[in-house]
Amino acid sequence: MRKLSLNKRERIKGSTSFEKIYSSGKKIISSDKRVRAVYKVEFPTATPFVKLGVAVSKKAGNACFRNRVKRLLRESFRLNKPELKVNLGLYILLSPYSFLDKERKYRLSYFSDSVIDVINKIYSGINVAQPGDQ
RNA sequence: AGACUUGACUUGGCAAUCGCUGUCGCAUUCUUAACGGCAGAGGAAAGUCCGGACUCCACAGGACAGGACGCCGGGUAACACCCGGGAGGUUAUCCGUAAUGGAUGAUCUACGGAAAGUGCCGCAGAAAAGAUACCACCUUGUGGCCCCCAAAGGCUACAGGGAAAGGGUGAAAAGGCAGGGUAAGAGCCUACCGCAUCCAUGGUAACAUGGAUGGCAUGGUAAACCCCGUCCGGAGCAAGGCCAAGCAGAAGGCGAUCUCACCCCUUUGUGGGUGGGUCAAGGGCUGUCCGUCCGAUGUUUUCGGGUAGGCCGCUCGAGGUGAGGAGAGAUUCUCAUCCCAGAUAAAUGAUUGCCUUCGGUUUAUUGAAAUUGUUACAAUGAGUUUUCACAAAAUGAUAAAAUUGCUAAAAAAUAUUAACUGCCCACCGGGUACAUAGUACCCGAACCAAUUUUUAUACCUUUUUGUGACUGCACGUCGUAAAAUUUCUCUAACCGAAACAGAAUCCGGCUUAGGAGUCAGGUCUAUAU
RNA sequence: GCCUCCGUAGCUCAGUGGAUAGAGCAGUGGUUUCCGGAGCCAUGUGCGCAGGUUCGAUUCCUGCCGGGGGUA
């Protein structure tokens, strides 16, 4: 895993994989209720990987605003990726849960803390579920 | 200079760090990773409202249906687009008439046809479209009354006729208005205006101008059906093509069944041959028709679909930029030069700092303008004259001090009281006494009110006395200077803001969203010339 | 991407050029009843927004806004 990059290879692609994650993944909401995450563990893998997907619903706003939210979520995950060190395949799907600011002018700091919180929750969830793997 | 408005253009900049997509290099071939270079959203990318390019539908056919467009000319690949012109409406200003009006500017127009046909025009009104007569008008006959009687005349009732000017209704009433004419009226006649037809002139045309004739025929509505003219085949890049594996299946040949046409034989048939077709009210090609294509079943050969995934389509184009030419303009021609996004749960971003633009606040400051129950000086005007100034004394007033009075003293809980007030204790601060703690006793800041005393008073109130002044005094106007206030501006600091919005095959338009800036034009206001 | 439909009272729907826009349920008040329900009577609330055609628009036309469905 390279430093702080987020390639095309480290993203979830295709609608079938999205459906798989939504149907059989685990849901987590951050403690400040800003970010929701769905994750799925793929246990027997040749090489360990982490793949990210971002989804914003159409009710959030117009296309420009949705693009901005996606970029902020992706950026905050990219900067905090070294916190998550796993030996298995992991799909993570982030999406915003609630919007407080009605003027829709967000900075990066709005999402980064809750993304760190979600990452810690996922990390502890994996360690509890698979204790013998560590 | 400011405000409003129209059109065109631009869409914050720089640096650092961390990243994303494509492409090229490293690299002789393949794969993976790293590094480096270059490129990387819009004027609306949006809405999907029109028009095209491109691809497939066998051919891209005919008629009907359906849809779109609709003053004239031009532009274009095409257009519900654009440009120029015409006509009409609205509005502002100016001019003018007895009245209708005319000119200029701005702005709007789905602006073909109502003498091809059908429909509709509620309520009101006599009548809502080749009609009709409620009131009112004129007239004839008969009856009644007025008159002593009759005629004439007048009034009235009924019956008939004329006519459509006036009233009234309505969004709209069968040309308008003036004169003549008449029993009353009427394009019945005449002038002007409108309308229709014809002619002439100008213009490519829409149309305009002029003349003659007619004598009013032709109410409105086509964003009601409709008629006329022009144009349109359908579907859409998720079009369409290719790819490993596998399956559904498809195509061609042959045979069988049935059937049609032609020929032959003759036992004129359940015969033979050749050619075409094959459930015909089926499916496809456009909604329908014509036309046209396919076609049941068995066997064999060949091919091997669609969806998901990947690749292509896919960004060189009605392209951009610059110069020159044509044109009134939209637009177009020539030359030179450039390559300028291509993602696919969807790249073009995040953080920090500095600068730029705009807004607000604060303080200081530069400059300008305005104002004043202000001050001083100068000029001028009309007034006034026991009024003003100075000095002394007294008095008031103010200030300070003292005394007395009034008034406050944490929070919570419980109990009592109908509630309030007073008193006591505790509680706050300080002091005194005894004194280890602590206990007992005493006092209450400031404000306000009243009283008393003393001191001071430059200025201030009132009174008295003395001296001086009318060359005074206060008021109005203007000017100069000062002061104060207000507004604008310059600079600095701080804070905030920098819109609308994200390509998805590509272009040309339209519509909608929206902050700021630049340039050009117009209108209005203010100042100066 | 394309095609198509709808917006009328708090809810479900009629009405399609002529002015007081209607029905059912719901709401409010009254009546009936010993009380309540049912019944009866009365009543309030509206044509998504803007522009145009017309004498007159919920209806016709155009443009926006919002919502639903289909298809590959």
Side-chain angles (χ1 to χ4, degrees), chain A residues 2-62:
Chain A
R2 210 156 49 88
K3 298 174 279 182
L4 293 176
S5 71
L6 195 64
N7 255 345
K8 220 181 196 180
R9 228 167 288 107
E10 302 175 49
R11 292 188 216 152
I12 302 173
K13 305 187 81 177
S15 60
T16 52
S17 48
F18 265 84
E19 283 171 12
K20 222 190 298 173
I21 292 160
Y22 270 122
S23 59
S24 66
K26 272 193 163 183
K27 276 188 189 174
I28 274 184
I29 298 176
S30 70
S31 49
D32 51 1
K33 292 188 177 176
R34 283 176 178 172
V35 174
R36 192 187 60 176
V38 180
Y39 72 96
K40 184 175 186 298
V41 180
E42 221 178 69
F43 179 45
T45 46
T47 55
F49 64 88
V50 175
K51 286 197 174 187
L52 179 75
V54 180
V56 184
S57 89
K58 227 174 192 177
K59 291 175 187 172
N62 54 18

Side-chain angles (χ1 to χ4, degrees), chain A residues 41-128:
Chain A
V41 180
E42 221 178 69
F43 179 45
T45 46
T47 55
F49 64 88
V50 175
K51 286 197 174 187
L52 179 75
V54 180
V56 184
S57 89
K58 227 174 192 177
K59 291 175 187 172
N62 54 18
C64 192
F65 174 70
R66 276 183 276 137
N67 269 343
R68 184 173 166 80
V69 171
K70 280 188 205 172
R71 281 167 186 158
L72 287 174
L73 282 175
R74 215 180 294 135
E75 188 78 8
S76 50
F77 181 80
R78 180 177 71 79
L79 293 175
N80 298 307
K81 208 173 59 170
E83 307 281 326
L84 200 63
K85 291 176 181 173
V86 248
N87 294 328
L88 20 100
L90 183 61
Y91 293 104
I92 297 177
L93 213 153
L94 293 174
S95 53
Y97 187 70
S98 64
F99 295 101
L100 300 177
D101 198 357
K102 285 186 178 177
E103 293 190 359
R104 295 177 169 177
K105 281 165 186 168
Y106 294 105
R107 312 299 300 268
L108 182 64
S109 56
Y110 182 84
F111 289 113
S112 59
D113 293 341
S114 37
V115 167
I116 290 173
D117 186 58
V118 163
I119 286 176
N120 288 333
K121 278 189 180 177
I122 292 174
Y123 192 59
S124 59
I126 290 170
N127 287 349
V128 165

